[in-house]
C-alpha cells in the first residue's frame, strides 16, 4: 500500500492539500486524521469541505462529536460526516449513537481522534498523520485499501526521496 510524506509550510499548504483531497473523494470513503491538538486536522477538513462545495461555516465538532454536510460529487448526493471523537469517553458511545451504521457506500467519513474509538472503527481507506514541525506541519498519508491507494495515486505527489 502506498505512503507519502511531505511538508506543509503554512496554512495555505494545508488548505491546498484539503482541496486536492476533495477532488478525489468518492462515496464510501473514510479518512482518519491523526495528530495533536492544533496540528491542523480541522483546518484540513474545512478546506476539503469548502472545495467539495459546502458554502457555509465549518465548525469543529468537538462538542457534538459529529457535524454532517450534504454535498454533491459528480451529480450524486453524498453525506459527509465530520467526526471529532476527542471528548468521547468510551468506544461504546460511538456504537450507541449509531455512528457505526454511517460507514456505508453513501457516506464519506472523516474522523479526528479515531484512537478514541479504537477497536470498533472499521479500517480507514486513508490515514493522515499531521505533526507540528517548526512553524509548519509535516504530513504523512497512508493508504490502507485499494480505494485509498487509488486516491493517493491520483493526488500525484512527487516520489519520496
Ligand atoms: N501547515 C501549517 N503551518 C502552520 N500552521 C498551520 C498549518 N496548517 C494549519 N495551521 C494552523 O494550525 C492550527 C490548526 O488548528 P486545527 O485545525 O483546529 O487543529 P486540530 O483540529 O488538529 O486540533 C490553526 O490555527 C491553523 O491556522
Ligand atoms: Mg480539530
Amino acid at each position: 500500500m502506498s505512503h507519502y510524506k511531505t511538508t506543509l509550510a503554512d496554512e495555505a499548504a494545508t488548505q491546498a492539500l484539503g482541496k486536492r483531497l476533495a477532488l478525489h473523494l468518492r462515496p464510501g470513503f473514510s479518512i482518519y486524521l491523526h495528530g495533536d491538538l492544533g496540528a491542523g486536522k480541522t483546518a484540513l477538513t474545512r478546506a476539503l469541505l469548502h472545495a467539495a462545495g459546502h458554502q457555509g461555516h465549518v465548525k469543529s465538532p468537538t462538542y457534538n462529536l459529529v457535524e454532517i454536510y450534504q454535498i454533491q460529487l459528480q451529480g450524486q448526493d453524498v453525506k459527509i460526516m465530520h467526526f471529532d471523537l476527542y471528548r468521547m469517553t468510551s468506544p461504546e458511545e460511538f456504537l450507541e449513537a449509531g455512528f457505526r451504521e454511517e460507514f456505508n457506500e453513501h457516506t464519506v467519513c472523516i474522523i479526528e481522534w479515531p484512537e478514541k474509538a479504537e477497536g470498533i472503527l472499521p479500517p480507514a481507506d486513508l490515514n493522515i498523520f499531521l505533526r507540528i514541525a517548526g512553524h509548519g506541519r509535516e504530513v504523512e498519508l497512508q493508504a490502507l485499501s485499494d480505494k485509498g491507494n487509488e486516491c493517493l495515486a491520483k493526488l500525484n505527489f512527487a516520489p519520496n526521496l
Side-chain angles (χ1 to χ4, degrees):
M1 291 285 159
S2 47
H3 188 254
Y4 290 98
K5 194 171 175 176
T6 187
T7 303
L8 303 168
D10 51 23
E11 182 161 9
T14 300
Q15 289 168 349
L17 176 62
K19 202 168 170 180
R20 282 168 74 194
L21 278 167
L23 296 174
H24 304 298
L25 282 182
R26 295 288 171 274
F29 206 84
S30 60
I31 302 178
Y32 295 177
L33 299 172
H34 306 266
D36 287 341
L37 281 175
K41 302 179 294 298
T42 300
L44 182 69
T45 307
R46 186 172 285 130
L48 184 158
L49 283 162
H50 283 145
H54 173 68
Q55 293 184 347
H57 189 59
V58 173
K59 66 175 182 183
S60 176
T62 311
Y63 293 94
N64 307 349
L65 298 183
V66 69
E67 292 289 335
I68 301 170
Y69 302 87
Q70 199 70 47
I71 57 141
Q72 286 223 325
L73 292 174
Q74 286 143 17
Q76 208 181 338
D77 283 327
V78 180
K79 184 158 82 169
I80 299 190
M81 310 273 296
H82 176 204
F83 292 97
D84 180 341
L85 306 182
Y86 188 68
R87 290 183 187 273
M88 205 168 68
T89 47
S90 74
E92 287 70 36
E93 216 180 314
F94 190 87
L95 295 176
E96 282 160 18
F99 292 151
R100 189 69 176 72
E101 282 69 54
E102 298 293 346
F103 288 74
N104 58 54
E105 68 274 25
H106 308 294
T107 307
V108 171
C109 289
I110 301 175
I111 307 193
E112 301 185 36
W113 297 101
E115 298 81 5
K116 299 276 180 175
E118 204 161 4
I120 58 159
L121 285 180
D125 293 302
L126 203 59
N127 260 331
I128 300 182
F129 300 88
L130 286 155
R131 271 179 224 100
I132 297 177
H135 294 297
R137 305 288 185 266
E138 271 177 5
V139 65
E140 248 178 283
L141 298 99
Q142 178 190 38
L144 297 171
S145 70
D146 290 342
K147 271 191 289 183
N149 254 340
E150 204 178 300
C151 174
L152 273 196
K154 286 183 181 156
L155 284 173
N156 212 10
F157 285 104
N160 281 329
L161 296 175

